[in-house]
Amino acid sequence: MRLSFYNFLKLILLSCLFSYANAIAKSDNNAAVKLYYGNIPTLVLSGSLRQMGVQYGASLRAQLKQELFILEDYYIDQQHLTYSQLVTQASLLYNRFPERYQVFMQGMAQGSALSLNEVKILNAMETLGELLPDKPQEACAFLFMPQQQTTTGGAFIGRNYDYAPPFDQLAKYLTVTVLKEPHKVATAFISIAGEIYCPSCINAAGIFLELNNGMPSGGTMVNHNTTSMLAVMLDTLRNSNSLTKVQNKLNHKNSDYSLIVNAANATADLSFEYSTNPILGMHYYVPDAQQNFVSTNFFLDSSWGDNVPVATDANSWYGVTRRNNLLNLSAAATKFNLTDFKALMSTSINSGGAVWDATIYQIIFDAATMNLYIRILSNPNTWEQIPLGEIFKQSESQ
């Protein structure tokens, strides 16, 4: 009789576990909302981070496999690295991510039918160049044009993403991903598929956040003993409904890389400059919100003094010229409409702008309308409009 009773309990327990696992599986397999604007996919993911990871992987399975082919062809076949080296390098970044984003990537592996090591490589694609004797160019630019100078009544924000090969091939897999999790601010991150962090992010409160390489000023050391700033930025936007909260969360943080993190909304902007040199630390400042502000790849805060190298084109990937060109172009008129701003952002360095050989994609955010515009230079080299404000509203009502 006792044996039958225990067997009955086991049967009940197994039944409960099966029902729970089945419910989780059904929840994990919910499809993402997938929209296309030109060639740019926009995903709206909902649920827990694990569930969103499964949705992300399932939605982008084909793109992720193509990217792995490109990365392995470049680093293994052309640069003669080993797969093991790529995994080891990628794991260094994965280990600096909070567990919640590791869980997202584990779900991504499940949804895409890729191994976790493959997912790690995709997430860390920007860091694989550290394995090469000649480090790749990782130059970017950020432009804030104040609301007084725009026809929409809100700031225009421009961002150039500049990177060396094979990112010119990977750029066509640029994706906008909206994370919709209970009790969080809905946040979109704009990245090459597989990068689960914030090269550029925008949240439903209209806050834009992006990063530039700051190594020309802050040094090349990597701090492996701190949470990655790449994940911190995404977490910051998902938990901030004001620029003041962004400032409070990013102030006095440590960074694993020397970075310049720029934040803005419709009326103001902030800049945070992080050095991995422990003697230097970080500085943040508030640019004049009435003035155009441009940041490239060297520190601008005057309080750094003589502690950082004097910036030149030679040591900042033409960062001085790119910055000066954007400042000159943005001062050329008292008012800019969106067409004017697109023309400004599209101007090549040879014609007095900031687009050069390493520029692979560009972003414009109209903070008044919450419209996002993306231009991938290789495919098809036109500005695509993404109504991010409408997408945020729709995701809130679902």
Side-chain angles (χ1 to χ4, degrees), residues 85-102:
Q85 285 177 293
L86 300 187
V87 172
T88 299
Q89 176 65 32
S91 295
L92 292 174
L93 182 63
Y94 179 84
N95 293 338
R96 296 198 300 276
F97 268 51
E99 183 181 1
R100 53 191 170 277
Y101 294 115
Q102 292 179 351

Side-chain angles (χ1 to χ4, degrees), residues 298-317:
F298 58 93
F299 294 165
L300 297 173
D301 193 323
S302 60
S303 60
W304 291 105
D306 297 331
N307 292 319
V308 298
V310 175
T312 67
D313 275 346
N315 67 14
S316 67
W317 308 296

Side-chain angles (χ1 to χ4, degrees), residues 138-335:
E138 306 171 20
C140 295
F142 169 86
L143 167 60
F144 174 87
M145 180 174 284
Q147 58 182 337
Q148 295 83 1
Q149 204 174 335
T150 75
T151 58
T152 62
F156 285 162
I157 298 165
R159 190 263 203 276
N160 285 352
Y161 182 95
D162 306 341
Y163 222 103
F167 280 78
D168 51 343
Q169 300 176 60
L170 295 166
K172 65 182 178 181
Y173 299 109
L174 193 68
T175 303
V176 178
T177 305
V178 177
L179 300 180
K180 179 193 169 190
E181 187 180 13
H183 313 300
K184 300 290 183 183
V185 182
T187 298
F189 61 93
I190 301 104
S191 69
I192 295 169
E195 296 175 322
I196 311 304
Y197 53 87
C198 184
S200 304
C201 290
I202 303 166
N203 73 8
I207 303 171
F208 184 100
L209 198 61
E210 66 91 44
L211 61 85
N212 294 355
N213 188 331
M215 290 181 180
S217 294
T220 59
M221 186 180 80
V222 179
N223 182 352
H224 294 291
N225 298 314
T226 189
T227 302
S228 178
M229 181 55 64
L230 310 182
V232 168
M233 291 170 64
L234 182 56
D235 238 19
T236 294
L237 273 203
R238 295 179 65 236
N239 291 279
S240 298
N241 56 14
S242 71
L243 210 54
T244 299
K245 288 188 177 179
V246 169
Q247 179 175 322
N248 291 338
K249 290 179 184 298
L250 292 181
N251 191 20
H252 303 305
K253 286 285 187 181
N254 293 319
S255 176
D256 46 347
Y257 297 104
S258 292
L259 294 172
I260 302 164
V261 176
N262 297 299
N265 62 11
T267 59
D269 55 328
L270 299 170
S271 190
F272 305 82
E273 297 174 343
Y274 298 91
S275 171
T276 50
N277 182 330
I279 297 174
L280 298 180
M282 70 82 64
H283 293 210
Y284 87 91
Y285 62 104
V286 182
D288 185 344
Q290 310 298 312
Q291 300 286 330
N292 292 308
F293 173 73
V294 177
S295 170
T296 54
N297 300 105
F298 58 93
F299 294 165
L300 297 173
D301 193 323
S302 60
S303 60
W304 291 105
D306 297 331
N307 292 319
V308 298
V310 175
T312 67
D313 275 346
N315 67 14
S316 67
W317 308 296
Y318 298 100
V320 175
T321 292
R322 289 184 288 112
R323 179 173 184 268
N324 288 338
N325 284 356
L326 286 175
L327 285 171
N328 291 336
L329 288 175
S330 59
T334 55
K335 285 283 186 181

